mmCIF file of all heavy atoms in Angstrom:
data_model
loop_
_atom_site.group_PDB
_atom_site.id
_atom_site.type_symbol
_atom_site.label_atom_id
_atom_site.label_comp_id
_atom_site.label_asym_id
_atom_site.label_seq_id
_atom_site.Cartn_x
_atom_site.Cartn_y
_atom_site.Cartn_z
ATOM 1 N N PRO H 1 -16.021 -21.499 -70.691
ATOM 2 C CA PRO H 1 -15.818 -20.848 -69.387
ATOM 3 C C PRO H 1 -14.813 -21.572 -68.496
ATOM 4 O O PRO H 1 -14.002 -20.924 -67.830
ATOM 5 C CB PRO H 1 -17.222 -20.847 -68.778
ATOM 6 C CG PRO H 1 -18.130 -20.772 -69.959
ATOM 7 C CD PRO H 1 -17.454 -21.623 -71.011
ATOM 8 N N ARG H 2 -14.818 -22.887 -68.521
ATOM 9 C CA ARG H 2 -13.886 -23.630 -67.642
ATOM 10 C C ARG H 2 -12.423 -23.391 -68.000
ATOM 11 O O ARG H 2 -11.533 -23.580 -67.173
ATOM 12 C CB ARG H 2 -14.219 -25.122 -67.677
ATOM 13 C CG ARG H 2 -13.922 -25.790 -68.999
ATOM 14 C CD ARG H 2 -14.159 -27.292 -68.942
ATOM 15 N NE ARG H 2 -13.887 -27.897 -70.217
ATOM 16 C CZ ARG H 2 -14.794 -28.471 -70.993
ATOM 17 N NH1 ARG H 2 -16.045 -28.562 -70.587
ATOM 18 N NH2 ARG H 2 -14.444 -28.991 -72.144
ATOM 19 N N ASP H 3 -12.146 -22.952 -69.233
ATOM 20 C CA ASP H 3 -10.770 -22.712 -69.660
ATOM 21 C C ASP H 3 -10.152 -21.480 -68.997
ATOM 22 O O ASP H 3 -8.944 -21.278 -69.064
ATOM 23 C CB ASP H 3 -10.711 -22.549 -71.182
ATOM 24 C CG ASP H 3 -11.168 -23.786 -71.931
ATOM 25 O OD1 ASP H 3 -11.054 -24.903 -71.386
ATOM 26 O OD2 ASP H 3 -11.653 -23.631 -73.074
ATOM 27 N N LEU H 4 -10.975 -20.652 -68.356
ATOM 28 C CA LEU H 4 -10.471 -19.461 -67.667
ATOM 29 C C LEU H 4 -9.823 -19.792 -66.324
ATOM 30 O O LEU H 4 -9.068 -18.981 -65.791
ATOM 31 C CB LEU H 4 -11.610 -18.466 -67.433
ATOM 32 C CG LEU H 4 -12.191 -17.813 -68.686
ATOM 33 C CD1 LEU H 4 -13.504 -17.119 -68.362
ATOM 34 C CD2 LEU H 4 -11.193 -16.841 -69.281
ATOM 35 N N ALA H 5 -10.097 -20.970 -65.790
ATOM 36 C CA ALA H 5 -9.585 -21.360 -64.469
ATOM 37 C C ALA H 5 -8.065 -21.279 -64.426
ATOM 38 O O ALA H 5 -7.371 -21.792 -65.299
ATOM 39 C CB ALA H 5 -10.047 -22.767 -64.115
ATOM 40 N N GLY H 6 -7.560 -20.591 -63.415
ATOM 41 C CA GLY H 6 -6.128 -20.508 -63.182
ATOM 42 C C GLY H 6 -5.394 -19.462 -64.005
ATOM 43 O O GLY H 6 -4.190 -19.286 -63.838
ATOM 44 N N LEU H 7 -6.079 -18.742 -64.879
ATOM 45 C CA LEU H 7 -5.420 -17.720 -65.689
ATOM 46 C C LEU H 7 -5.340 -16.396 -64.932
ATOM 47 O O LEU H 7 -6.231 -16.055 -64.168
ATOM 48 C CB LEU H 7 -6.177 -17.492 -66.997
ATOM 49 C CG LEU H 7 -6.211 -18.625 -68.005
ATOM 50 C CD1 LEU H 7 -6.979 -18.203 -69.248
ATOM 51 C CD2 LEU H 7 -4.807 -19.061 -68.378
ATOM 52 N N ALA H 8 -4.277 -15.642 -65.199
ATOM 53 C CA ALA H 8 -4.140 -14.303 -64.633
ATOM 54 C C ALA H 8 -4.476 -13.239 -65.671
ATOM 55 O O ALA H 8 -4.871 -12.133 -65.326
ATOM 56 C CB ALA H 8 -2.707 -14.096 -64.137
ATOM 57 N N GLY H 9 -4.338 -13.582 -66.942
ATOM 58 C CA GLY H 9 -4.610 -12.636 -68.010
ATOM 59 C C GLY H 9 -5.134 -13.343 -69.235
ATOM 60 O O GLY H 9 -4.930 -14.544 -69.412
ATOM 61 N N LEU H 10 -5.834 -12.577 -70.078
ATOM 62 C CA LEU H 10 -6.433 -13.137 -71.278
ATOM 63 C C LEU H 10 -6.381 -12.102 -72.393
ATOM 64 O O LEU H 10 -6.703 -10.934 -72.182
ATOM 65 C CB LEU H 10 -7.893 -13.516 -71.009
ATOM 66 C CG LEU H 10 -8.682 -14.101 -72.182
ATOM 67 C CD1 LEU H 10 -8.141 -15.479 -72.552
ATOM 68 C CD2 LEU H 10 -10.153 -14.194 -71.816
ATOM 69 N N VAL H 11 -5.982 -12.546 -73.591
ATOM 70 C CA VAL H 11 -5.991 -11.699 -74.776
ATOM 71 C C VAL H 11 -7.185 -12.093 -75.625
ATOM 72 O O VAL H 11 -7.332 -13.265 -75.994
ATOM 73 C CB VAL H 11 -4.685 -11.850 -75.585
ATOM 74 C CG1 VAL H 11 -4.759 -11.032 -76.874
ATOM 75 C CG2 VAL H 11 -3.478 -11.442 -74.752
ATOM 76 N N LEU H 12 -8.053 -11.112 -75.904
ATOM 77 C CA LEU H 12 -9.156 -11.310 -76.839
ATOM 78 C C LEU H 12 -8.630 -10.875 -78.199
ATOM 79 O O LEU H 12 -8.328 -9.701 -78.399
ATOM 80 C CB LEU H 12 -10.375 -10.479 -76.441
ATOM 81 C CG LEU H 12 -10.984 -10.803 -75.079
ATOM 82 C CD1 LEU H 12 -12.107 -9.842 -74.756
ATOM 83 C CD2 LEU H 12 -11.484 -12.225 -75.058
ATOM 84 N N PRO H 13 -8.488 -11.802 -79.140
ATOM 85 C CA PRO H 13 -7.781 -11.517 -80.387
ATOM 86 C C PRO H 13 -8.623 -10.744 -81.396
ATOM 87 O O PRO H 13 -9.816 -10.512 -81.209
ATOM 88 C CB PRO H 13 -7.486 -12.920 -80.914
ATOM 89 C CG PRO H 13 -8.667 -13.721 -80.454
ATOM 90 C CD PRO H 13 -8.986 -13.172 -79.085
ATOM 91 N N GLY H 14 -7.960 -10.414 -82.503
ATOM 92 C CA GLY H 14 -8.652 -9.835 -83.637
ATOM 93 C C GLY H 14 -9.463 -10.911 -84.337
ATOM 94 O O GLY H 14 -9.402 -12.086 -83.989
ATOM 95 N N GLY H 15 -10.233 -10.488 -85.292
ATOM 96 C CA GLY H 15 -11.098 -11.394 -86.036
ATOM 97 C C GLY H 15 -12.326 -10.624 -86.468
ATOM 98 O O GLY H 15 -12.257 -9.428 -86.732
ATOM 99 N N GLU H 16 -13.437 -11.286 -86.513
ATOM 100 C CA GLU H 16 -14.696 -10.650 -86.905
ATOM 101 C C GLU H 16 -15.562 -10.554 -85.663
ATOM 102 O O GLU H 16 -16.009 -11.568 -85.134
ATOM 103 C CB GLU H 16 -15.353 -11.487 -88.008
ATOM 104 C CG GLU H 16 -16.129 -10.660 -89.018
ATOM 105 C CD GLU H 16 -17.307 -9.940 -88.388
ATOM 106 O OE1 GLU H 16 -18.121 -10.584 -87.724
ATOM 107 O OE2 GLU H 16 -17.410 -8.714 -88.547
ATOM 108 N N SER H 17 -15.799 -9.343 -85.186
ATOM 109 C CA SER H 17 -16.441 -9.171 -83.882
ATOM 110 C C SER H 17 -17.863 -9.723 -83.831
ATOM 111 O O SER H 17 -18.271 -10.255 -82.801
ATOM 112 C CB SER H 17 -16.416 -7.702 -83.454
ATOM 113 O OG SER H 17 -17.134 -6.890 -84.348
ATOM 114 N N THR H 18 -18.632 -9.624 -84.911
ATOM 115 C CA THR H 18 -20.000 -10.162 -84.857
ATOM 116 C C THR H 18 -19.985 -11.684 -84.743
ATOM 117 O O THR H 18 -20.817 -12.266 -84.048
ATOM 118 C CB THR H 18 -20.849 -9.723 -86.073
ATOM 119 O OG1 THR H 18 -20.172 -10.088 -87.272
ATOM 120 C CG2 THR H 18 -21.084 -8.231 -86.064
ATOM 121 N N THR H 19 -19.029 -12.334 -85.383
ATOM 122 C CA THR H 19 -18.875 -13.786 -85.244
ATOM 123 C C THR H 19 -18.456 -14.124 -83.822
ATOM 124 O O THR H 19 -18.959 -15.085 -83.222
ATOM 125 C CB THR H 19 -17.831 -14.319 -86.247
ATOM 126 O OG1 THR H 19 -18.286 -14.037 -87.568
ATOM 127 C CG2 THR H 19 -17.607 -15.807 -86.075
ATOM 128 N N MET H 20 -17.552 -13.335 -83.252
ATOM 129 C CA MET H 20 -17.098 -13.572 -81.887
ATOM 130 C C MET H 20 -18.252 -13.412 -80.899
ATOM 131 O O MET H 20 -18.356 -14.175 -79.937
ATOM 132 C CB MET H 20 -15.924 -12.654 -81.560
ATOM 133 C CG MET H 20 -14.687 -12.983 -82.397
ATOM 134 S SD MET H 20 -13.396 -11.716 -82.351
ATOM 135 C CE MET H 20 -12.633 -12.054 -80.777
ATOM 136 N N VAL H 21 -19.138 -12.431 -81.132
ATOM 137 C CA VAL H 21 -20.317 -12.247 -80.276
ATOM 138 C C VAL H 21 -21.193 -13.496 -80.334
ATOM 139 O O VAL H 21 -21.659 -13.992 -79.298
ATOM 140 C CB VAL H 21 -21.104 -10.981 -80.680
ATOM 141 C CG1 VAL H 21 -22.500 -10.976 -80.071
ATOM 142 C CG2 VAL H 21 -20.344 -9.732 -80.268
ATOM 143 N N ARG H 22 -21.417 -14.026 -81.526
ATOM 144 C CA ARG H 22 -22.232 -15.243 -81.663
ATOM 145 C C ARG H 22 -21.612 -16.418 -80.917
ATOM 146 O O ARG H 22 -22.313 -17.188 -80.255
ATOM 147 C CB ARG H 22 -22.419 -15.602 -83.139
ATOM 148 C CG ARG H 22 -23.537 -14.808 -83.775
ATOM 149 C CD ARG H 22 -23.852 -15.319 -85.174
ATOM 150 N NE ARG H 22 -23.677 -14.180 -86.061
ATOM 151 C CZ ARG H 22 -22.887 -14.123 -87.118
ATOM 152 N NH1 ARG H 22 -22.204 -15.172 -87.491
ATOM 153 N NH2 ARG H 22 -22.793 -13.034 -87.830
ATOM 154 N N LEU H 23 -20.299 -16.561 -81.004
ATOM 155 C CA LEU H 23 -19.615 -17.652 -80.297
ATOM 156 C C LEU H 23 -19.677 -17.447 -78.781
ATOM 157 O O LEU H 23 -19.840 -18.413 -78.029
ATOM 158 C CB LEU H 23 -18.168 -17.770 -80.769
ATOM 159 C CG LEU H 23 -17.996 -18.287 -82.189
ATOM 160 C CD1 LEU H 23 -16.551 -18.117 -82.646
ATOM 161 C CD2 LEU H 23 -18.432 -19.742 -82.287
ATOM 162 N N MET H 24 -19.569 -16.211 -78.338
ATOM 163 C CA MET H 24 -19.681 -15.941 -76.905
ATOM 164 C C MET H 24 -21.083 -16.257 -76.403
ATOM 165 O O MET H 24 -21.248 -16.716 -75.280
ATOM 166 C CB MET H 24 -19.283 -14.498 -76.605
ATOM 167 C CG MET H 24 -17.786 -14.273 -76.752
ATOM 168 S SD MET H 24 -17.285 -12.551 -76.590
ATOM 169 C CE MET H 24 -17.765 -12.199 -74.912
ATOM 170 N N ASP H 25 -22.098 -16.024 -77.238
ATOM 171 C CA ASP H 25 -23.469 -16.427 -76.898
ATOM 172 C C ASP H 25 -23.561 -17.951 -76.817
ATOM 173 O O ASP H 25 -24.054 -18.500 -75.829
ATOM 174 C CB ASP H 25 -24.467 -15.943 -77.959
ATOM 175 C CG ASP H 25 -24.787 -14.465 -77.871
ATOM 176 O OD1 ASP H 25 -24.551 -13.863 -76.810
ATOM 177 O OD2 ASP H 25 -25.274 -13.917 -78.881
ATOM 178 N N GLU H 26 -23.087 -18.614 -77.854
ATOM 179 C CA GLU H 26 -23.208 -20.070 -77.952
ATOM 180 C C GLU H 26 -22.510 -20.787 -76.807
ATOM 181 O O GLU H 26 -23.005 -21.780 -76.286
ATOM 182 C CB GLU H 26 -22.644 -20.547 -79.291
ATOM 183 C CG GLU H 26 -22.844 -22.027 -79.532
ATOM 184 C CD GLU H 26 -22.412 -22.452 -80.929
ATOM 185 O OE1 GLU H 26 -22.374 -21.619 -81.847
ATOM 186 O OE2 GLU H 26 -22.112 -23.657 -81.078
ATOM 187 N N TYR H 27 -21.357 -20.288 -76.398
ATOM 188 C CA TYR H 27 -20.585 -20.946 -75.344
ATOM 189 C C TYR H 27 -20.716 -20.263 -73.985
ATOM 190 O O TYR H 27 -19.961 -20.565 -73.058
ATOM 191 C CB TYR H 27 -19.117 -21.060 -75.768
ATOM 192 C CG TYR H 27 -18.966 -21.955 -76.971
ATOM 193 C CD1 TYR H 27 -18.731 -21.430 -78.227
ATOM 194 C CD2 TYR H 27 -19.114 -23.335 -76.851
ATOM 195 C CE1 TYR H 27 -18.617 -22.248 -79.340
ATOM 196 C CE2 TYR H 27 -18.998 -24.164 -77.950
ATOM 197 C CZ TYR H 27 -18.760 -23.614 -79.198
ATOM 198 O OH TYR H 27 -18.658 -24.437 -80.293
ATOM 199 N N ALA H 28 -21.685 -19.353 -73.863
ATOM 200 C CA ALA H 28 -22.017 -18.694 -72.585
ATOM 201 C C ALA H 28 -20.780 -18.103 -71.909
ATOM 202 O O ALA H 28 -20.497 -18.372 -70.752
ATOM 203 C CB ALA H 28 -22.737 -19.667 -71.663
ATOM 204 N N LEU H 29 -20.070 -17.245 -72.629
ATOM 205 C CA LEU H 29 -18.835 -16.659 -72.107
ATOM 206 C C LEU H 29 -18.999 -15.255 -71.521
ATOM 207 O O LEU H 29 -18.075 -14.744 -70.902
ATOM 208 C CB LEU H 29 -17.772 -16.617 -73.209
ATOM 209 C CG LEU H 29 -17.073 -17.946 -73.461
ATOM 210 C CD1 LEU H 29 -16.314 -17.916 -74.781
ATOM 211 C CD2 LEU H 29 -16.122 -18.263 -72.317
ATOM 212 N N TRP H 30 -20.158 -14.611 -71.689
ATOM 213 C CA TRP H 30 -20.312 -13.229 -71.230
ATOM 214 C C TRP H 30 -20.063 -13.077 -69.731
ATOM 215 O O TRP H 30 -19.181 -12.324 -69.317
ATOM 216 C CB TRP H 30 -21.695 -12.693 -71.601
ATOM 217 C CG TRP H 30 -21.877 -12.573 -73.075
ATOM 218 C CD1 TRP H 30 -22.499 -13.471 -73.896
ATOM 219 C CD2 TRP H 30 -21.403 -11.526 -73.925
ATOM 220 N NE1 TRP H 30 -22.442 -13.037 -75.202
ATOM 221 C CE2 TRP H 30 -21.780 -11.838 -75.238
ATOM 222 C CE3 TRP H 30 -20.708 -10.347 -73.681
ATOM 223 C CZ2 TRP H 30 -21.475 -11.005 -76.318
ATOM 224 C CZ3 TRP H 30 -20.407 -9.514 -74.759
ATOM 225 C CH2 TRP H 30 -20.788 -9.859 -76.058
ATOM 226 N N ALA H 31 -20.836 -13.747 -68.923
ATOM 227 C CA ALA H 31 -20.694 -13.620 -67.460
ATOM 228 C C ALA H 31 -19.352 -14.159 -66.974
ATOM 229 O O ALA H 31 -18.710 -13.519 -66.133
ATOM 230 C CB ALA H 31 -21.857 -14.311 -66.747
ATOM 231 N N PRO H 32 -18.868 -15.304 -67.477
ATOM 232 C CA PRO H 32 -17.561 -15.777 -67.013
ATOM 233 C C PRO H 32 -16.420 -14.798 -67.306
ATOM 234 O O PRO H 32 -15.506 -14.659 -66.494
ATOM 235 C CB PRO H 32 -17.374 -17.094 -67.762
ATOM 236 C CG PRO H 32 -18.762 -17.594 -67.988
ATOM 237 C CD PRO H 32 -19.548 -16.338 -68.274
ATOM 238 N N LEU H 33 -16.472 -14.102 -68.444
ATOM 239 C CA LEU H 33 -15.421 -13.127 -68.740
ATOM 240 C C LEU H 33 -15.518 -11.918 -67.814
ATOM 241 O O LEU H 33 -14.496 -11.416 -67.323
ATOM 242 C CB LEU H 33 -15.479 -12.689 -70.197
ATOM 243 C CG LEU H 33 -14.952 -13.711 -71.195
ATOM 244 C CD1 LEU H 33 -15.250 -13.284 -72.625
ATOM 245 C CD2 LEU H 33 -13.460 -13.934 -71.004
ATOM 246 N N ARG H 34 -16.729 -11.460 -67.543
ATOM 247 C CA ARG H 34 -16.895 -10.347 -66.591
ATOM 248 C C ARG H 34 -16.444 -10.775 -65.194
ATOM 249 O O ARG H 34 -15.790 -10.013 -64.477
ATOM 250 C CB ARG H 34 -18.341 -9.873 -66.576
ATOM 251 C CG ARG H 34 -18.728 -9.098 -67.826
ATOM 252 C CD ARG H 34 -20.143 -8.538 -67.720
ATOM 253 N NE ARG H 34 -20.520 -7.880 -68.955
ATOM 254 C CZ ARG H 34 -21.461 -8.316 -69.786
ATOM 255 N NH1 ARG H 34 -22.155 -9.407 -69.504
ATOM 256 N NH2 ARG H 34 -21.728 -7.654 -70.886
ATOM 257 N N ASP H 35 -16.785 -12.003 -64.796
ATOM 258 C CA ASP H 35 -16.357 -12.522 -63.493
ATOM 259 C C ASP H 35 -14.836 -12.662 -63.426
ATOM 260 O O ASP H 35 -14.222 -12.378 -62.390
ATOM 261 C CB ASP H 35 -17.007 -13.872 -63.201
ATOM 262 C CG ASP H 35 -18.506 -13.775 -62.963
ATOM 263 O OD1 ASP H 35 -19.007 -12.657 -62.721
ATOM 264 O OD2 ASP H 35 -19.177 -14.824 -63.030
ATOM 265 N N PHE H 36 -14.229 -13.114 -64.520
ATOM 266 C CA PHE H 36 -12.766 -13.246 -64.597
ATOM 267 C C PHE H 36 -12.117 -11.895 -64.290
ATOM 268 O O PHE H 36 -11.188 -11.801 -63.492
ATOM 269 C CB PHE H 36 -12.372 -13.745 -65.991
ATOM 270 C CG PHE H 36 -10.897 -13.741 -66.251
ATOM 271 C CD1 PHE H 36 -10.088 -14.733 -65.731
ATOM 272 C CD2 PHE H 36 -10.318 -12.749 -67.034
ATOM 273 C CE1 PHE H 36 -8.719 -14.738 -65.966
ATOM 274 C CE2 PHE H 36 -8.959 -12.742 -67.275
ATOM 275 C CZ PHE H 36 -8.152 -13.745 -66.749
ATOM 276 N N HIS H 37 -12.627 -10.836 -64.897
ATOM 277 C CA HIS H 37 -12.094 -9.498 -64.643
ATOM 278 C C HIS H 37 -12.363 -9.064 -63.202
ATOM 279 O O HIS H 37 -11.474 -8.544 -62.520
ATOM 280 C CB HIS H 37 -12.700 -8.498 -65.623
ATOM 281 C CG HIS H 37 -12.231 -7.102 -65.380
ATOM 282 N ND1 HIS H 37 -13.000 -6.174 -64.723
ATOM 283 C CD2 HIS H 37 -11.070 -6.498 -65.676
ATOM 284 C CE1 HIS H 37 -12.314 -5.046 -64.636
ATOM 285 N NE2 HIS H 37 -11.145 -5.203 -65.214
ATOM 286 N N ALA H 38 -13.570 -9.292 -62.719
ATOM 287 C CA ALA H 38 -13.928 -8.889 -61.354
ATOM 288 C C ALA H 38 -13.066 -9.596 -60.310
ATOM 289 O O ALA H 38 -12.780 -9.023 -59.260
ATOM 290 C CB ALA H 38 -15.405 -9.173 -61.095
ATOM 291 N N ARG H 39 -12.634 -10.806 -60.606
ATOM 292 C CA ARG H 39 -11.785 -11.566 -59.676
ATOM 293 C C ARG H 39 -10.313 -11.199 -59.790
ATOM 294 O O ARG H 39 -9.487 -11.761 -59.084
ATOM 295 C CB ARG H 39 -11.963 -13.063 -59.910
ATOM 296 C CG ARG H 39 -13.295 -13.612 -59.438
ATOM 297 C CD ARG H 39 -13.331 -15.148 -59.461
ATOM 298 N NE ARG H 39 -12.738 -15.733 -60.636
ATOM 299 C CZ ARG H 39 -13.368 -16.006 -61.789
ATOM 300 N NH1 ARG H 39 -14.647 -15.698 -61.909
ATOM 301 N NH2 ARG H 39 -12.739 -16.554 -62.794
ATOM 302 N N GLY H 40 -9.973 -10.266 -60.695
ATOM 303 C CA GLY H 40 -8.593 -9.801 -60.779
ATOM 304 C C GLY H 40 -7.900 -10.084 -62.082
ATOM 305 O O GLY H 40 -6.732 -9.729 -62.248
ATOM 306 N N GLY H 41 -8.550 -10.715 -63.035
ATOM 307 C CA GLY H 41 -7.913 -11.031 -64.313
ATOM 308 C C GLY H 41 -7.698 -9.792 -65.168
ATOM 309 O O GLY H 41 -8.518 -8.880 -65.187
ATOM 310 N N ALA H 42 -6.572 -9.769 -65.869
ATOM 311 C CA ALA H 42 -6.259 -8.695 -66.811
ATOM 312 C C ALA H 42 -6.725 -9.114 -68.199
ATOM 313 O O ALA H 42 -6.652 -10.297 -68.557
ATOM 314 C CB ALA H 42 -4.760 -8.418 -66.806
ATOM 315 N N LEU H 43 -7.199 -8.148 -68.988
ATOM 316 C CA LEU H 43 -7.695 -8.428 -70.337
ATOM 317 C C LEU H 43 -7.081 -7.454 -71.333
ATOM 318 O O LEU H 43 -6.928 -6.263 -71.035
ATOM 319 C CB LEU H 43 -9.222 -8.287 -70.381
ATOM 320 C CG LEU H 43 -9.989 -9.334 -69.598
ATOM 321 C CD1 LEU H 43 -11.330 -8.812 -69.153
ATOM 322 C CD2 LEU H 43 -10.154 -10.577 -70.445
ATOM 323 N N TRP H 44 -6.762 -7.977 -72.510
ATOM 324 C CA TRP H 44 -6.269 -7.139 -73.602
ATOM 325 C C TRP H 44 -7.034 -7.529 -74.849
ATOM 326 O O TRP H 44 -7.036 -8.701 -75.239
ATOM 327 C CB TRP H 44 -4.787 -7.355 -73.803
ATOM 328 C CG TRP H 44 -4.150 -6.556 -74.901
ATOM 329 C CD1 TRP H 44 -4.672 -5.503 -75.581
ATOM 330 C CD2 TRP H 44 -2.838 -6.772 -75.432
ATOM 331 N NE1 TRP H 44 -3.772 -5.026 -76.495
ATOM 332 C CE2 TRP H 44 -2.639 -5.787 -76.430
ATOM 333 C CE3 TRP H 44 -1.829 -7.664 -75.149
ATOM 334 C CZ2 TRP H 44 -1.452 -5.703 -77.150
ATOM 335 C CZ3 TRP H 44 -0.651 -7.584 -75.865
ATOM 336 C CH2 TRP H 44 -0.462 -6.611 -76.858
ATOM 337 N N GLY H 45 -7.679 -6.569 -75.448
ATOM 338 C CA GLY H 45 -8.392 -6.796 -76.699
ATOM 339 C C GLY H 45 -7.666 -6.141 -77.845
ATOM 340 O O GLY H 45 -7.372 -4.954 -77.801
ATOM 341 N N THR H 46 -7.331 -6.931 -78.876
ATOM 342 C CA THR H 46 -6.695 -6.390 -80.064
ATOM 343 C C THR H 46 -7.708 -6.395 -81.204
ATOM 344 O O THR H 46 -8.352 -7.406 -81.457
ATOM 345 C CB THR H 46 -5.443 -7.195 -80.472
ATOM 346 O OG1 THR H 46 -5.812 -8.504 -80.864
ATOM 347 C CG2 THR H 46 -4.453 -7.276 -79.326
#
């Protein structure tokens, strides 16, 4: 989550989505990513 500080945009890359979900759980990224968007961040998912 701390890596989002100061970013204006973020690309969520390709890969294996179920593995990415597990990593987002493990590193508690769900709320920080939603907050990043709510604060004005742009997101692109490939």
